[in-house]
Amino acid sequence: MTPTTCSNDLYTQALGYFNALKAPAAFTPGDNDWTDCDRPSNGGFKSLNRLDYERQVFFSTNFSLGQRRLAQEVQTAPLCLGENRTAVPCVENRRWTVGKVTYATLNIQGSCNNLCDTAPDQEEYAARNAANIIWMRQTFQVAKTRKSVAVMFISQGNPGWDLTDGTRAPLRDPKTLAETDGQPDGFQSFLLALRDEVIAFRKPVVYVDGDSHYHRVDRPFLDAQGRRLENFTRVETFGDNAANGTNDVNWVKVTVNPRSREVFSYQPQIVPGNRVAVPSP
């Protein structure tokens, strides 16, 4: 049975699931497993206590999880904060290159990226946000050096990209990238930096996020003049909506073809046992 709070047992169970996979498994933290753990319903833990614990459990080596492990580059510079408020390496931020594509994970969270909810932490956010921007910029430089044909970033948080869907993401002016819904903005500086790099890279860039529990593949990123960045794709994964009768616990298959113009193609994989409206045959 899955633990219902952010107790150590939750992470132990997750580690077992990841290591049961035959292929390399790359993991990036999400708000449900650290920034939201300070909610009373999640056990009232200190968020950084849980993130430090994740760093020990999932990121103690430079290898991925899974039965066949993949060596990864690690952000070892002490740029993030630990529970004791001292600088620690952001070891959860990883990078690897396979098949002429460079991939990187970024510790970017929902719940305003730790600037709102039960116990917001401006100091923690500022350190981690700066580290994420550095890691993102370095990833583009690595991709250029290795002559990669594309870059894919994976994070949990949905930063919001425009003014179209306030029910699922922060509302944001697509030209200035400033949040317009009155909530603390934990994403603008990162998005401004990302936009500069995407424009300069001129090859396919994909940003994979979760958080909003709604699968979509689109191109919501605009430049400062309102022109669409055609080389940028956002891929939002499925989520758990079982409570409202729509069980969207499914997954997205990404096919990578370095010789194709777009490099990536996407196919939702519907789990037959999770179908609600259309029963499996």
Side-chain angles (χ1 to χ4, degrees), residues 27-36 54 107-110 156-157:
F27 169 65
T28 189
D31 58 6
N32 290 163
D33 46 79
W34 76 276
T35 59
D36 294 346
E54 283 195 290
N107 189 349
I108 297 176
Q109 302 301 307
Q156 186 269 334

Side-chain angles (χ1 to χ4, degrees), residues 55 77-82 84-90 127:
R55 287 167 174 157
L79 300 174
C80 288
L81 282 186
N84 61 3
R85 314 305 293 184
T86 60
V88 299
C90 313

Side-chain angles (χ1 to χ4, degrees), residues 161-163 172-178 195 220-224 226:
W161 306 90
D162 52 31
L163 298 168
R172 189 172 302 284
D173 183 316
K175 294 182 181 179
T176 67
L177 297 175
R195 183 164 67 182
F221 218 178
L222 306 183
D223 72 4

Side-chain angles (χ1 to χ4, degrees), residues 99 198 216 280:
V198 170
R216 52 188 156 183
S280 58

Side-chain angles (χ1 to χ4, degrees), residues 79-99:
L79 300 174
C80 288
L81 282 186
E83 183 184 9
N84 61 3
R85 314 305 293 184
T86 60
V88 299
C90 313
V91 292
E92 65 273 20
N93 284 350
R94 302 287 171 120
R95 180 169 54 235
W96 62 99
T97 299
V98 175

Side-chain angles (χ1 to χ4, degrees), residues 210 213-215 236-240 248-252 268-270:
H213 297 210
Y214 182 73
H215 170 56
E236 192 168 298
T237 61
F238 288 94
D240 181 3
D248 288 331
V249 182
N250 301 296
W251 58 287
V252 182
Q269 302 291 306
I270 307 303

Side-chain angles (χ1 to χ4, degrees), residues 231-244:
N231 65 320
F232 179 88
T233 303
R234 182 265 298 273
V235 178
E236 192 168 298
T237 61
F238 288 94
D240 181 3
N241 292 306
N244 64 14

